[in-house]
Amino acid sequence: MARRTFFSFHYEPDVWRAWNVRNSWVVKPENQESVGFFDSSVFESSKKESPDALKTFLRKGVVNTSVTCVLTGKDTWQRRWVRYEIARSVLKGNGILTVHIHGVKNKDGVLGTKGANPLDAMGLYKTSNGIFLAEWTDGKWQRYSDYTTAIPAGDLWFKAPSTDTVDALSKHCLTYDFSAQNGRQNIGGWIETAAGLAGR
């Protein structure tokens, strides 16, 4: 069965690095299928229409995927649309992993700077009204603004929060460094591990 993987990343600075990482994923080509790697021009045109149009575009991108791989550069953790892709992945029950890609050269042969893990900046918490997504913004946790509906605990593949203290998603998902951990050889296994953790 093909492993359908959505790749989430910050386009402008990291598309070249992301493209190289995605193309290195050749461990078992018969068991892989990248369905979430968009041409930047398509992404930008959707973004120009309206935020709602871009949300629709990104929701469709996650459909029929089982894993979301967050390819992380310097500022990925604070990008609105990366956060939205992560949120939709949580709602869908995808396995999620972070792969730092700062050690991959860009088209000019320049290395990047390591950024924070985006999964440290998103999480879940419980109130008397249900379980909600949270995001780290302006130096504190706040209810996630792009999806404000309660999430049934049974929809989560990991242990649901039991208090109003935010559990960061990174508590449940694994993180890797593409360059330091031989991602060219290992990324297929990382994706399979993320799928397995989510029961996908």
Side-chain angles (χ1 to χ4, degrees), residues 90-109:
V90 170
L91 295 169
K92 190 178 176 303
N94 275 16
I96 307 173
L97 68 155
T98 298
V99 178
H100 290 280
I101 60 171
H102 63 285
V104 178
K105 293 180 179 178
N106 66 10
K107 62 181 176 61
D108 299 315

Side-chain angles (χ1 to χ4, degrees), residues 122-144:
M122 291 198 71
L124 294 162
Y125 65 102
K126 183 179 181 180
T127 73
S128 58
N129 296 317
I131 296 168
F132 296 91
L133 283 161
E135 61 181 334
W136 183 261
T137 184
D138 296 328
K140 61 184 178 181
W141 286 109
Q142 300 186 46
R143 182 175 292 192
Y144 180 59

Side-chain angles (χ1 to χ4, degrees), residues 143-179:
R143 182 175 292 192
Y144 180 59
S145 58
D146 280 315
Y147 188 88
T148 57
T149 304
I151 304 168
D155 288 357
L156 302 172
W157 56 262
F158 47 84
K159 184 179 179 182
S162 57
T163 70
D164 60 2
T165 299
V166 175
D167 277 348
L169 294 178
S170 56
K171 176 180 176 181
H172 309 286
C173 306
L174 296 174
T175 302
Y176 305 91
D177 185 308
F178 188 82
S179 295

Side-chain angles (χ1 to χ4, degrees), residues 7-69:
F7 290 94
S8 177
F9 57 94
H10 181 192
Y11 272 81
E12 189 173 340
D14 292 326
V15 66
W16 184 269
R17 294 184 177 99
W19 181 82
N20 276 282
V21 169
R22 190 276 309 261
N23 284 352
S24 74
W25 180 34
V26 294
V27 178
K28 292 183 179 179
E30 70 277 9
N31 289 331
Q32 71 180 49
E33 186 175 353
S34 167
V35 297
F37 196 95
F38 304 118
D39 179 89
S40 59
S41 63
V42 176
F43 181 88
E44 292 298 328
S45 64
S46 296
K47 187 166 66 172
K48 288 175 183 175
E49 289 181 36
S50 72
D52 285 341
L54 185 51
K55 285 180 181 181
T56 299
F57 172 75
L58 295 176
R59 280 198 303 272
K60 290 179 179 177
V62 177
V63 168
N64 295 325
T65 64
S66 54
V67 175
T68 297
C69 182

